[in-house]
Amino acid sequence: MASTSRGSRTPLQKAAAVGGAVFLLVGLLGFVPGVTTDYDTLDFAAHHSEARLLGLFQVSILHNLVHLLFGVAGLTLASSASAARSYLIVGGVYLVLWLYGLLIDHNSAANFVPVNRADNWLHFALGVAMIALGTLLTRPTRMRA
């Protein structure tokens, strides 16, 4: 893994920092009426929450808090290349959330997060992208002669 010199960041660290910043922003925006439609239905954790970030992604207070915590983790773990890699690889947990969203009945109490179809496919893309970044950005680059 490449080491940093004089405060420069590796691509892994940059990816973790950007990911963390995006999750932090999404978590904050989930609490902003207008950006989150049907804000008055925002529940702590239940499928009854009809609040939707950008009118598309179903959110709850729990969902927003998880985004905030994951954002803070990304910004914190971007401090070293190895921690940034771990953050990105562990971000693959979004694939588990994708499977969860595919398997549960979205209108049942099992949908406590809550998630909808748009969330499911976003979680799939996030899981794949984070694992890919954590893996591909770890590969050593060849020096040109």
Side-chain angles (χ1 to χ4, degrees), residues 89-104 113 115 120 123-124 126-128 131:
I89 298 294
V90 169
V93 74
Y94 275 92
L95 291 174
V96 174
L97 192 53
W98 168 66
L99 287 174
Y100 161 81
L102 290 179
L103 297 174
I104 60 152
V113 174
V115 294
N120 289 343
H123 292 149
F124 173 77
L126 285 170
V128 169
I131 290 171

Side-chain angles (χ1 to χ4, degrees), residues 33-104:
V35 176
T36 298
T37 59
D38 297 319
Y39 187 81
D40 57 325
T41 68
L42 188 69
D43 274 342
F44 178 75
H47 68 284
H48 306 293
S49 180
E50 289 300 321
R52 297 188 190 290
L53 180 62
L54 304 173
L56 188 61
F57 303 102
Q58 191 173 9
V59 294
S60 65
I61 293 169
L62 176 63
H63 210 151
N64 292 336
L65 291 174
V66 169
H67 289 142
L68 289 169
L69 291 173
F70 207 67
V72 169
L75 292 173
T76 302
L77 295 172
S79 62
S80 78
S82 62
R85 180 180 188 277
S86 294
Y87 170 76
L88 292 167
I89 298 294
V90 169
V93 74
Y94 275 92
L95 291 174
V96 174
L97 192 53
W98 168 66
L99 287 174
Y100 161 81
L102 290 179
L103 297 174
I104 60 152

